DNA sequence: TTCATCTCGAACATCTGTGTTCAAGATATT
DNA sequence: AATATCTTGAACACAGATGTTCGAGATGAA
């Protein structure tokens, strides 16, 4: 079945809706379809003309976001010193989190668990892989479950996003704070906590 | 205005409602009044007979919870070695978090921000005080905002609660994981991360 | 036992959000 | 200019949650 080409204004509206939905849901995961349509400068009926469901819309938004996230993460060099690689990973993850914020929550509420897990999977595995390598080289602590360490990284990043949103933390200060926090968090007991500044020097 | 004494069954029901509401909301902050009434083994109308609003109910639940939390925290000795004191604080906080879980979220959704802030205030200040002391004694890192460190502690604790709920982490392992994670997180760059086991030895 | 208090289901009003239908009008395409 | 495609507000049906009212019946207090 060949899909007939969409009219130009339709394409334009679909893009506007996806863009608005991303921004709106990243701020408020409970945003109504109405809110999103209004943010896109489009009638609610038009939105439903392009997306079956609220779920279908969220799904499309998540897919788009994940493509972006994957592109950013794939372009990342995680070789070399594990601690330095972690700082690079954190910086990249931070940029992505700032952009997509609470979108995860929106996904969790209207998408089947399997789909959410799939979206979460890739970034988590990437972090896990780096942590495993750091552990193997004796740079990261091995006295706690690796999955817990990954969860901590993830959680701290989101906490930083909230802090920025609440005005407690400046956007640029946040990146440094997250990296520093995570290095401390990963350092094995009995070892010295590295300084972020020393790692980012080139 | 003197309030007439309640009949015994009324008192009993009020207690049951508060108890059920606490447990139910700690699991699902979106639980409906219906769910809560059913969990309390009471008709919905009865519930509304004792509490004006959903908000009033949540408020009562939070008040009760905070009294308990305050009691636990006040009974805590935070003197001596800051790291050891932190481990004690973490253990106490952990117990409380396990009990009240997502109740905070429920509060955030149906209570005015001021009331939520007030409830949050006391425990936060307690943590902040200990961190400040540890910083003054050179045991905790001073290169990051203290408020950020407090937020991290708070966040990591909640992440652990979720992990336990998801079955990723055993309840008893979690307490150790949180304490270990936090010690690493607070250790100043250039210093050695302490071992939790060494601190809890008596 | 008497009586005020309390319980409770059923039914109702209200609100908010989702999703659909319709018919008129705007716009891209050719 | 002709036409298929697209947009749109208004109106509707529906679902779930909150909060209220009523009246019959259960229960505690004296």
């Amino acid at each position: 079945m060949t899909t007939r080409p969409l009219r130009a204004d339709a394409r334009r509206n679909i893009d506007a809706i996806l863009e608005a939905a991303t921004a709106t849901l990243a701020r408020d995961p409970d945003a109504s379809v109405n809110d999103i349509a209004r943010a896109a400068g489009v009638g609610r009926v038009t939105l439903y003309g392009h997306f079956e469901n609220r779920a279908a819309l969220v799904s499309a938004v998540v897919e788009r976001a994940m493509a972006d996230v994957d592109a950013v993460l794939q372009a990342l060099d995680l070789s070399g010193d594990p601690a330095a690689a972690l700082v690079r990973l954190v910086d990249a993850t931070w940029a992505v989190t700032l952009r997509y914020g609470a979108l995860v929550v929106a996904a969790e509420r209207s998408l089947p668990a399997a789909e959410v897990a799939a979206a979460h999977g890739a970034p988590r595995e990437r972090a896990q892989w780096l942590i495993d390598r750091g552990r193997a080289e004796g740079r990261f602590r091995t006295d706690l479950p690796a999955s817990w360490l990954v969860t901590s990284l993830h959680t701290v990043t989101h906490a930083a996003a909230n802090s920025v949103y609440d005005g407690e933390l400046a956007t640029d200060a946040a990146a440094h704070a997250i990296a520093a926090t995570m290095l401390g968090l990963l350092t094995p007991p009995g070892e010295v906590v590295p300084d972020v500044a020393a790692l980012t020097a080139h």
Side-chain angles (χ1 to χ4, degrees), chain A residues 6-196:
Chain A
L6 288 173
R7 233 172 64 175
D9 53 351
R11 261 270 152 258
R12 221 182 311 129
N13 277 334
I14 291 177
D15 284 350
I17 290 169
L18 285 172
E19 202 61 47
T22 303
T24 306
L25 292 176
R27 246 181 282 114
D28 174 16
D30 280 327
S32 73
V33 172
N34 224 330
D35 295 334
I36 297 173
R38 217 173 324 115
V42 136
R44 200 164 60 97
V45 183
T46 303
L47 193 156
Y48 276 110
H50 294 301
F51 300 91
E52 282 275 321
N53 280 336
R54 187 185 206 282
L57 172 59
V58 173
S59 183
V61 167
V62 168
E63 192 176 356
R64 237 170 69 114
M66 286 316 296
D68 181 22
V69 170
D70 280 346
V72 170
L73 294 190
Q74 292 299 333
L76 214 58
D77 174 25
L78 292 187
S79 63
D81 176 55
L86 180 82
V87 173
R88 290 195 294 274
L89 177 61
V90 163
D91 281 347
T93 306
W94 172 239
V96 160
T97 301
L98 255 192
R99 198 162 1 174
Y100 299 118
L103 205 143
V104 192
V105 181
E108 276 165 0
R109 293 201 196 158
S110 42
L111 261 41
E115 195 169 341
V116 177
H120 255 304
R124 249 193 100 89
E125 271 176 27
R126 196 122 176 109
Q128 173 112 31
W129 177 87
L130 175 57
I131 287 179
D132 283 340
R133 187 166 73 81
R135 279 152 72 108
E137 297 180 19
R139 300 293 307 278
F140 296 154
R141 70 191 309 164
T142 55
D143 61 334
L144 296 176
S147 70
W148 164 249
L149 294 177
V150 176
T151 296
S152 297
L153 300 194
H154 181 254
T155 295
V156 167
T157 303
H158 274 272
N162 285 332
S163 291
V164 166
Y165 180 76
D166 294 346
E168 289 173 19
L169 210 57
T171 310
D172 47 348
H176 173 263
I178 301 171
T181 303
M182 291 185 176
L183 281 180
L185 187 151
L186 289 171
T187 304
E191 299 285 320
V192 171
V193 176
D195 194 341
V196 181

